[in-house]
Amino acid sequence: LMLSVGISLWLGPVNVRFRDIQIIIPLLLQILFILTPVMYPAPESLQPTQQSLTAFLYNLNPMTGIIDGFRYCLIGEGTPLATPFLCSYVLVFVLFLSGFAFFNFSQNKFADII
C-alpha cells in the first residue's frame, strides 16, 4: 500500500506538469512486472547471500522479497532471507516520505498549471 501511494504521490504532480507521463506509466509497469520474479526463481548469480552490486540492485524491487517468501511458504523452494525484505522496507519508506514531501511542495502550483 505504501509503495503504490508513494509512487502515486510522485507521479501525480509530474502528470499535472507533463501530460505525456500517462503514456509512459504503462510501459514502466510492464517492465516492473517482467523484472519481478513471479514465474521464475531468482538466478543463482543474483542470490542475496552474495555481496554484490547486482544482487543489491535485484533486491531493490520491492516485490522480490514478498514473492520469494510466498514461494518458500507454498512450495518450499529457496530460503527466505532478510536482505530482500530490508531493501524493500527501506526503499518503500524512502519513496513514501519523499513522495509526500514532493506532493506537498508542488500542490500549491496545481491551480496555476491546470
Side-chain angles (χ1 to χ4, degrees):
L1 178 67
M2 285 182 66
L3 175 68
S4 62
V5 170
I7 291 172
S8 299
L9 287 173
W10 269 102
L11 291 179
V14 173
N15 189 28
V16 169
R17 176 93 175 152
F18 306 105
R19 297 291 181 180
D20 292 337
I21 199 74
Q22 62 189 351
I23 298 169
I24 298 171
I25 290 173
L27 176 66
L28 292 176
L29 278 175
Q30 191 169 20
I31 290 170
L32 286 175
F33 282 138
I34 291 170
L35 293 177
T36 303
V38 175
M39 297 301 291
Y40 57 90
E44 294 298 323
S45 63
L46 296 179
Q47 290 299 324
T49 55
Q50 300 173 355
Q51 299 297 328
S52 68
L53 179 64
T54 310
F56 176 73
L57 291 176
Y58 181 74
N59 289 323
L60 281 181
N61 186 345
M63 294 304 293
T64 300
I66 296 169
I67 298 294
D68 286 343
F70 272 107
R71 185 177 289 124
Y72 178 74
C73 290
L74 297 175
I75 303 173
E77 181 181 301
T79 56
L81 299 169
T83 306
F85 287 110
L86 183 63
C87 289
S88 296
Y89 290 145
V90 169
L91 178 73
V92 167
F93 190 69
V94 167
L95 186 67
F96 179 77
L97 288 180
S98 64
F100 188 73
F102 179 65
F103 187 84
N104 281 336
F105 173 74
S106 59
Q107 74 179 348
N108 296 333
K109 302 172 188 171
F110 286 171
D112 296 335
I113 296 173
I114 293 177

